[in-house]
mmCIF file of all heavy atoms in Angstrom:
data_model
loop_
_atom_site.group_PDB
_atom_site.id
_atom_site.type_symbol
_atom_site.label_atom_id
_atom_site.label_comp_id
_atom_site.label_asym_id
_atom_site.label_seq_id
_atom_site.Cartn_x
_atom_site.Cartn_y
_atom_site.Cartn_z
ATOM 1 N N THR A 240 0.306 5.557 6.548
ATOM 2 C CA THR A 240 0.103 4.131 6.796
ATOM 3 C C THR A 240 -0.062 3.910 8.290
ATOM 4 O O THR A 240 0.275 4.768 9.104
ATOM 5 C CB THR A 240 1.267 3.298 6.213
ATOM 6 O OG1 THR A 240 0.904 1.917 6.264
ATOM 7 C CG2 THR A 240 2.565 3.489 6.984
ATOM 8 N N VAL A 286 0.309 1.805 -1.276
ATOM 9 C CA VAL A 286 1.648 1.941 -1.867
ATOM 10 C C VAL A 286 1.766 1.164 -3.180
ATOM 11 O O VAL A 286 2.423 1.615 -4.123
ATOM 12 C CB VAL A 286 2.737 1.528 -0.846
ATOM 13 C CG1 VAL A 286 2.667 0.044 -0.521
ATOM 14 C CG2 VAL A 286 4.116 1.905 -1.348
ATOM 15 N N LEU A 364 2.433 -11.693 -6.194
ATOM 16 C CA LEU A 364 1.528 -11.504 -5.055
ATOM 17 C C LEU A 364 2.280 -10.818 -3.925
ATOM 18 O O LEU A 364 3.453 -11.108 -3.685
ATOM 19 C CB LEU A 364 1.009 -12.862 -4.567
ATOM 20 C CG LEU A 364 0.178 -13.657 -5.581
ATOM 21 C CD1 LEU A 364 -0.087 -15.070 -5.069
ATOM 22 C CD2 LEU A 364 -1.146 -12.956 -5.883
ATOM 23 N N ALA A 365 1.605 -9.900 -3.240
ATOM 24 C CA ALA A 365 2.197 -9.255 -2.056
ATOM 25 C C ALA A 365 1.109 -8.571 -1.261
ATOM 26 O O ALA A 365 -0.044 -8.509 -1.680
ATOM 27 C CB ALA A 365 3.251 -8.222 -2.457
ATOM 28 N N GLY A 366 1.501 -8.041 -0.121
ATOM 29 C CA GLY A 366 0.569 -7.277 0.713
ATOM 30 C C GLY A 366 0.240 -8.018 1.983
ATOM 31 O O GLY A 366 -0.201 -7.429 2.965
ATOM 32 N N GLU A 367 0.433 -9.311 1.989
ATOM 33 C CA GLU A 367 0.147 -10.144 3.156
ATOM 34 C C GLU A 367 0.853 -11.476 2.918
ATOM 35 O O GLU A 367 1.305 -11.745 1.797
ATOM 36 C CB GLU A 367 -1.360 -10.388 3.282
ATOM 37 C CG GLU A 367 -1.902 -10.976 2.000
ATOM 38 C CD GLU A 367 -3.361 -11.339 2.026
ATOM 39 O OE1 GLU A 367 -3.853 -11.802 3.059
ATOM 40 O OE2 GLU A 367 -4.005 -11.188 0.970
ATOM 41 N N ARG A 368 0.901 -12.293 3.948
ATOM 42 C CA ARG A 368 1.533 -13.600 3.794
ATOM 43 C C ARG A 368 0.739 -14.414 2.773
ATOM 44 O O ARG A 368 -0.490 -14.435 2.799
ATOM 45 C CB ARG A 368 1.524 -14.298 5.146
ATOM 46 C CG ARG A 368 2.345 -15.532 5.171
ATOM 47 C CD ARG A 368 2.460 -16.092 6.577
ATOM 48 N NE ARG A 368 2.606 -17.546 6.523
ATOM 49 C CZ ARG A 368 3.680 -18.171 6.078
ATOM 50 N NH1 ARG A 368 4.721 -17.489 5.666
ATOM 51 N NH2 ARG A 368 3.730 -19.485 6.044
ATOM 52 N N CYS A 369 1.444 -15.053 1.862
ATOM 53 C CA CYS A 369 0.746 -15.851 0.854
ATOM 54 C C CYS A 369 0.717 -17.302 1.305
ATOM 55 O O CYS A 369 1.766 -17.943 1.421
ATOM 56 C CB CYS A 369 1.468 -15.722 -0.480
ATOM 57 S SG CYS A 369 0.642 -16.671 -1.741
ATOM 58 N N ASP A 387 5.620 -14.812 -4.993
ATOM 59 C CA ASP A 387 5.285 -14.077 -3.774
ATOM 60 C C ASP A 387 6.438 -13.115 -3.511
ATOM 61 O O ASP A 387 7.604 -13.501 -3.617
ATOM 62 C CB ASP A 387 5.156 -15.109 -2.636
ATOM 63 C CG ASP A 387 4.922 -14.463 -1.281
ATOM 64 O OD1 ASP A 387 4.509 -13.286 -1.238
ATOM 65 O OD2 ASP A 387 5.138 -15.150 -0.255
ATOM 66 N N HIS A 388 6.142 -11.854 -3.227
ATOM 67 C CA HIS A 388 7.230 -10.942 -2.855
ATOM 68 C C HIS A 388 6.774 -10.064 -1.701
ATOM 69 O O HIS A 388 5.591 -9.810 -1.508
ATOM 70 C CB HIS A 388 7.796 -10.180 -4.048
ATOM 71 C CG HIS A 388 6.867 -9.258 -4.786
ATOM 72 N ND1 HIS A 388 5.507 -9.466 -4.926
ATOM 73 C CD2 HIS A 388 7.128 -8.101 -5.462
ATOM 74 C CE1 HIS A 388 4.986 -8.488 -5.649
ATOM 75 N NE2 HIS A 388 5.937 -7.645 -5.971
ATOM 76 N N TRP A 389 7.748 -9.640 -0.922
ATOM 77 C CA TRP A 389 7.466 -8.997 0.362
ATOM 78 C C TRP A 389 7.935 -7.549 0.368
ATOM 79 O O TRP A 389 9.089 -7.284 0.047
ATOM 80 C CB TRP A 389 8.183 -9.779 1.478
ATOM 81 C CG TRP A 389 8.293 -9.103 2.803
ATOM 82 C CD1 TRP A 389 7.261 -8.594 3.553
ATOM 83 C CD2 TRP A 389 9.480 -8.877 3.564
ATOM 84 N NE1 TRP A 389 7.746 -8.076 4.736
ATOM 85 C CE2 TRP A 389 9.096 -8.233 4.771
ATOM 86 C CE3 TRP A 389 10.831 -9.153 3.354
ATOM 87 C CZ2 TRP A 389 10.014 -7.872 5.756
ATOM 88 C CZ3 TRP A 389 11.747 -8.796 4.335
ATOM 89 C CH2 TRP A 389 11.338 -8.164 5.524
ATOM 90 N N TRP A 390 7.034 -6.649 0.699
ATOM 91 C CA TRP A 390 7.442 -5.251 0.846
ATOM 92 C C TRP A 390 6.460 -4.477 1.690
ATOM 93 O O TRP A 390 5.487 -5.034 2.192
ATOM 94 C CB TRP A 390 7.733 -4.596 -0.473
ATOM 95 C CG TRP A 390 6.710 -4.641 -1.565
ATOM 96 C CD1 TRP A 390 6.212 -5.748 -2.165
ATOM 97 C CD2 TRP A 390 6.107 -3.516 -2.206
ATOM 98 N NE1 TRP A 390 5.346 -5.377 -3.150
ATOM 99 C CE2 TRP A 390 5.255 -4.010 -3.195
ATOM 100 C CE3 TRP A 390 6.216 -2.136 -2.061
ATOM 101 C CZ2 TRP A 390 4.504 -3.180 -4.025
ATOM 102 C CZ3 TRP A 390 5.480 -1.316 -2.889
ATOM 103 C CH2 TRP A 390 4.634 -1.836 -3.856
ATOM 104 N N GLN A 391 6.728 -3.204 1.859
ATOM 105 C CA GLN A 391 5.973 -2.388 2.801
ATOM 106 C C GLN A 391 5.827 -0.973 2.260
ATOM 107 O O GLN A 391 6.622 -0.545 1.437
ATOM 108 C CB GLN A 391 6.750 -2.259 4.116
ATOM 109 C CG GLN A 391 7.343 -3.526 4.623
ATOM 110 C CD GLN A 391 8.135 -3.301 5.899
ATOM 111 O OE1 GLN A 391 9.056 -2.500 5.917
ATOM 112 N NE2 GLN A 391 7.773 -4.008 6.946
ATOM 113 N N THR A 392 4.866 -0.243 2.817
ATOM 114 C CA THR A 392 4.704 1.163 2.440
ATOM 115 C C THR A 392 6.033 1.891 2.625
ATOM 116 O O THR A 392 6.426 2.716 1.796
ATOM 117 C CB THR A 392 3.622 1.819 3.325
ATOM 118 O OG1 THR A 392 2.433 1.051 3.203
ATOM 119 C CG2 THR A 392 3.349 3.246 2.905
ATOM 120 N N GLU A 393 6.728 1.586 3.706
ATOM 121 C CA GLU A 393 7.972 2.292 4.013
ATOM 122 C C GLU A 393 9.029 2.078 2.934
ATOM 123 O O GLU A 393 9.803 2.982 2.637
ATOM 124 C CB GLU A 393 8.542 1.820 5.364
ATOM 125 C CG GLU A 393 7.773 2.288 6.587
ATOM 126 C CD GLU A 393 6.558 1.431 6.931
ATOM 127 O OE1 GLU A 393 6.170 0.573 6.093
ATOM 128 O OE2 GLU A 393 5.996 1.609 8.016
ATOM 129 N N PRO A 415 8.779 -15.491 0.238
ATOM 130 C CA PRO A 415 8.880 -14.493 -0.835
ATOM 131 C C PRO A 415 10.273 -14.483 -1.461
ATOM 132 O O PRO A 415 10.728 -13.442 -1.944
ATOM 133 C CB PRO A 415 8.549 -13.183 -0.125
ATOM 134 C CG PRO A 415 8.957 -13.391 1.288
ATOM 135 C CD PRO A 415 8.800 -14.865 1.585
ATOM 136 N N THR A 477 12.004 -3.770 10.272
ATOM 137 C CA THR A 477 10.859 -3.852 9.354
ATOM 138 C C THR A 477 9.525 -3.979 10.089
ATOM 139 O O THR A 477 8.481 -3.707 9.513
ATOM 140 C CB THR A 477 10.977 -5.079 8.413
ATOM 141 O OG1 THR A 477 10.930 -6.271 9.209
ATOM 142 C CG2 THR A 477 12.242 -5.040 7.591
ATOM 143 N N ASP A 479 8.461 -6.840 10.922
ATOM 144 C CA ASP A 479 8.068 -8.219 10.632
ATOM 145 C C ASP A 479 9.079 -9.165 11.276
ATOM 146 O O ASP A 479 10.261 -8.838 11.401
ATOM 147 C CB ASP A 479 8.057 -8.470 9.119
ATOM 148 C CG ASP A 479 6.824 -7.885 8.446
ATOM 149 O OD1 ASP A 479 5.708 -8.208 8.875
ATOM 150 O OD2 ASP A 479 6.983 -7.088 7.504
ATOM 151 N N VAL A 491 8.569 -14.803 5.984
ATOM 152 C CA VAL A 491 8.010 -13.711 6.783
ATOM 153 C C VAL A 491 6.813 -14.284 7.533
ATOM 154 O O VAL A 491 5.834 -14.714 6.920
ATOM 155 C CB VAL A 491 7.560 -12.539 5.876
ATOM 156 C CG1 VAL A 491 7.037 -11.380 6.698
ATOM 157 C CG2 VAL A 491 8.715 -12.084 4.985
ATOM 158 N N ARG A 494 3.863 -9.972 12.214
ATOM 159 C CA ARG A 494 4.295 -8.639 12.625
ATOM 160 C C ARG A 494 4.761 -8.703 14.078
ATOM 161 O O ARG A 494 4.240 -9.489 14.878
ATOM 162 C CB ARG A 494 3.125 -7.648 12.542
ATOM 163 C CG ARG A 494 2.674 -7.299 11.159
ATOM 164 C CD ARG A 494 3.598 -6.380 10.397
ATOM 165 N NE ARG A 494 3.897 -5.130 11.078
ATOM 166 C CZ ARG A 494 4.509 -4.097 10.489
ATOM 167 N NH1 ARG A 494 4.878 -4.177 9.219
ATOM 168 N NH2 ARG A 494 4.757 -3.005 11.146
ATOM 169 N N ASN A 500 -3.275 -7.238 9.046
ATOM 170 C CA ASN A 500 -3.421 -7.143 7.612
ATOM 171 C C ASN A 500 -4.755 -7.741 7.186
ATOM 172 O O ASN A 500 -4.938 -8.945 7.250
ATOM 173 C CB ASN A 500 -2.260 -7.937 6.998
ATOM 174 C CG ASN A 500 -1.834 -7.306 5.724
ATOM 175 O OD1 ASN A 500 -2.678 -7.092 4.856
ATOM 176 N ND2 ASN A 500 -0.564 -6.990 5.611
ATOM 177 N N GLY A 503 -5.257 -7.573 2.655
ATOM 178 C CA GLY A 503 -4.132 -6.820 2.073
ATOM 179 C C GLY A 503 -4.110 -5.364 2.506
ATOM 180 O O GLY A 503 -3.255 -4.607 2.074
ATOM 181 N N ARG A 505 -3.512 -2.630 5.439
ATOM 182 C CA ARG A 505 -2.779 -2.593 6.709
ATOM 183 C C ARG A 505 -3.542 -1.748 7.730
ATOM 184 O O ARG A 505 -3.858 -0.595 7.480
ATOM 185 C CB ARG A 505 -1.408 -1.997 6.419
ATOM 186 C CG ARG A 505 -0.562 -1.730 7.611
ATOM 187 C CD ARG A 505 0.848 -1.524 7.116
ATOM 188 N NE ARG A 505 1.644 -0.771 8.043
ATOM 189 C CZ ARG A 505 2.890 -0.384 7.802
ATOM 190 N NH1 ARG A 505 3.452 -0.677 6.650
ATOM 191 N NH2 ARG A 505 3.567 0.298 8.682
HETATM 192 P P1 LIG B 2 1.794 -2.324 3.613
HETATM 193 O O1 LIG B 2 2.670 -1.292 4.211
HETATM 194 O O2 LIG B 2 0.344 -1.971 3.667
HETATM 195 O O3 LIG B 2 2.230 -2.698 2.232
HETATM 196 O O4 LIG B 2 1.923 -3.615 4.501
HETATM 197 C C1 LIG B 2 3.188 -4.154 4.733
HETATM 198 C C2 LIG B 2 3.095 -5.383 5.572
HETATM 199 O O5 LIG B 2 2.325 -6.389 4.883
HETATM 200 C C3 LIG B 2 4.435 -6.025 5.809
HETATM 201 O O6 LIG B 2 5.144 -5.424 6.871
HETATM 202 C C4 LIG B 2 4.056 -7.461 6.092
HETATM 203 O O7 LIG B 2 3.613 -7.618 7.417
HETATM 204 C C5 LIG B 2 2.889 -7.679 5.145
HETATM 205 N N1 LIG B 2 3.346 -8.259 3.883
HETATM 206 C C6 LIG B 2 3.460 -7.649 2.695
HETATM 207 N N2 LIG B 2 3.869 -8.523 1.747
HETATM 208 C C7 LIG B 2 4.046 -9.713 2.366
HETATM 209 C C8 LIG B 2 4.469 -11.014 1.929
HETATM 210 N N3 LIG B 2 4.756 -11.276 0.658
HETATM 211 N N4 LIG B 2 4.544 -12.001 2.866
HETATM 212 C C9 LIG B 2 4.236 -11.757 4.156
HETATM 213 N N5 LIG B 2 3.815 -10.558 4.613
HETATM 214 C C10 LIG B 2 3.709 -9.546 3.729
#
Side-chain angles (χ1 to χ4, degrees):
T240 190
V286 66
L364 298 171
E367 55 177 323
R368 190 172 150 70
C369 180
D387 175 19
H388 62 328
W389 166 55
W390 53 299
Q391 315 178 303
T392 305
E393 288 83 349
T477 64
D479 283 306
V491 183
R494 290 286 305 191
N500 213 307
R505 173 164 157 184

